[in-house]
Each structure stands twice: as structure tokens, then as C-alpha cells.
Amino acid sequence: AQSVAQPEDQVNVAEGNPLTVKCTYSVSGNPYLFWYVQYPNRGLQFLLKYITGDNLVKGSYGFEAEFNKSQTSFHLKKPSALVSDSALYFCAVRDDGGANNLFFGTGTRLTVIP
Amino acid sequence: KAGVTQTPRYLIKTRGQQVTLSCSPISGHRSVSWYQQTPGQGLQFLFEYFSETQRNKGNFPGRFSGRQFSNSRSEMNVSTLELGDSALYLCASRRAGVQETQYFGPGTRLLVL
């Protein structure tokens, strides 16, 4: 069975500093990994995904994520945080039993301090 | 291209009533999935429809049901509402193909009193 863990409920970072939101996963077989962001009273917006290929994945709004198979991690990163990046971030993994549904982490609230 | 749309955006019902939520996928997307988001349980998968057939179902009681129409639009129904059904219900659509991304709508916020 697959699972995703986001060990930090809250991450605070100063504007202009690099940010990291952590995610670890557990799957049998090859992982399909995703990051989504949720702004207040909004649905989930897709940021990026890892299916195969390069371990560094680039996504929307300057975000990137590093896939590390040995550490079973898929951390989200951005070199320079913006106040507008403040939101709830979800890591997700696709069902490893062949279905297409996603299993989500509990979410990390990112606050960028001006 | 228009995104996933969901109607209504907000809904208030009382216990015992039933509710129907609607989702229109992105044009060309034939798969529609539904998720429930609550503060306590987080994001949980309800079911997926593809070409009018339910492909996969999460661990929810039979009070939760859905369907998909020939134009790929989907509806979700919850009967005999309980207080615990209060949640944000999110719909997501994707193209066919195992590597395709799910794109989410803005959600319907349901409050059960």
C-alpha cells in the first residue's frame, strides 16, 4: 500500500529566502509523485510531477522538486520565496495498485514573512 | 481552455437530506475523480469515472454515489446526509493515460446542519 508523509504542518520562511517543503513516500513499484498547492477557498492547483527521468523536476511559478529514490523523498523547493507563495501545499502519490487515484499527505502550510 | 468547473460552490443542507453536486471536466478529459477534503481526514478519494463507468471507488459508505454522462460531465450524490459529511468536495479531471495529471476544480463546500 502506498502512503505519503509531510512531516511539517507549518513552514515559515522570510521573503527572498529559499524554501523547502518536505515529503517522503512509500510505494511498491515505481512512484508517480505530485505537488499541488491550495489557496484559501480554492481547489488544488498542480505544480509539478515526477514520473520518470531527471531527478530534478521543474514546475510552475518557479517551483522545483528533487526526487531521491534512496531516501524515498520528493521535497519541494524554490530558490527565492514570495509572499504570494503563502498557501497550503500537498504532496501526493498515485495508487500503486494500478488505479489512478491519488493519495495525499496531510499538507504543509507555508507562510512567507515579508 | 476552461478549467474544471463545479456547481454549486456553496451548499447548506440539513441532516437526512440528500445533495447532488456537479462537475464539468476540462474539454477532452474523459476521466473524472471526486475527493472529499475535511480538516480531520484530509483529502480522501471517493471514486473515479471514465467513459460513463465507475473505475475505482474509495472507502466511503454507499450513501455516496456518482455517475458520468456521455459528455464526461459528472455528478456526485450523497443521500441521508450526516453532520460528518460537511466538507469541501473536489472534482478532478484528466486525459486518458496512466501518466496524465489530474486537474482540480474549485470545489463545492457543503455544510450539513
Side-chain angles (χ1 to χ4, degrees):
Chain A
Q2 63 288 299
S3 65
V4 169
Q6 294 181 244
E8 300 160 318
D9 291 335
Q10 174 83 40
V11 170
N12 296 325
V13 64
E15 186 178 20
N17 281 4
L19 70 86
T20 298
V21 182
K22 296 179 180 177
C23 172
T24 59
Y25 66 90
S26 173
V27 297
S28 55
N30 294 322
Y32 289 5
L33 297 160
F34 302 81
W35 275 102
Y36 287 87
V37 60
Q38 186 174 38
Y39 295 97
N41 300 316
R42 303 276 293 276
L44 301 177
Q45 291 183 30
F46 169 72
L47 284 177
L48 50 80
K49 68 182 178 183
Y50 174 84
I51 302 296
T52 186
D54 290 341
N55 290 340
L56 186 63
V57 180
K58 293 191 182 296
S60 306
Y61 314 118
F63 284 94
E64 57 189 29
E66 187 171 9
F67 172 70
N68 187 315
K69 188 173 182 178
S70 62
Q71 297 185 6
T72 62
S73 66
F74 188 56
H75 300 334
L76 182 70
K77 300 183 179 186
K78 188 174 182 181
S80 178
L82 301 172
V83 172
S84 57
D85 293 330
S86 298
L88 189 55
Y89 290 80
F90 289 96
C91 181
V93 63
R94 180 176 168 268
D95 186 299
D96 61 8
N100 295 306
N101 53 288
L102 298 175
F103 288 86
F104 287 87
T106 50
T108 298
R109 185 163 300 281
L110 172 69
T111 300
V112 181
I113 303 163
Chain B
K1 189 182 276 191
V4 178
T5 58
Q6 292 187 245
T7 57
R9 292 293 311 278
Y10 302 93
L11 208 50
I12 301 176
K13 292 286 188 179
T14 56
R15 278 181 299 173
Q17 286 187 311
Q18 74 165 14
V19 67
T20 299
L21 313 181
S22 181
C23 171
S24 292
I26 294 171
S27 177
H29 288 195
R30 293 166 61 191
S31 166
V32 173
S33 296
W34 290 88
Y35 293 82
Q36 181 196 63
Q37 185 178 19
T38 60
Q41 300 299 317
L43 280 153
Q44 294 185 289
F45 170 73
L46 281 155
F47 29 65
E48 180 194 12
Y49 285 86
F50 184 86
S51 293
E52 303 179 65
T53 302
Q54 187 180 89
R55 263 191 169 178
N56 191 21
K57 191 176 191 305
N59 189 25
F60 278 82
R63 300 185 296 108
F64 292 81
S65 63
R67 59 177 176 169
Q68 187 180 34
F69 302 95
S70 58
N71 61 358
S72 295
R73 190 177 70 85
S74 177
E75 287 182 348
M76 185 195 124
N77 185 276
V78 188
S79 63
T80 318
L81 284 166
E82 301 177 359
L83 295 179
D85 297 333
S86 295
L88 181 66
Y89 289 89
L90 294 163
C91 165
S93 76
R94 65 176 185 87
R95 280 190 280 254
V98 296
Q99 298 186 2
E100 295 296 331
T101 300
Q102 291 190 29
Y103 293 93
F104 286 79
T108 294
R109 186 164 295 282
L110 171 65
L111 177 61
V112 182
L113 301 175

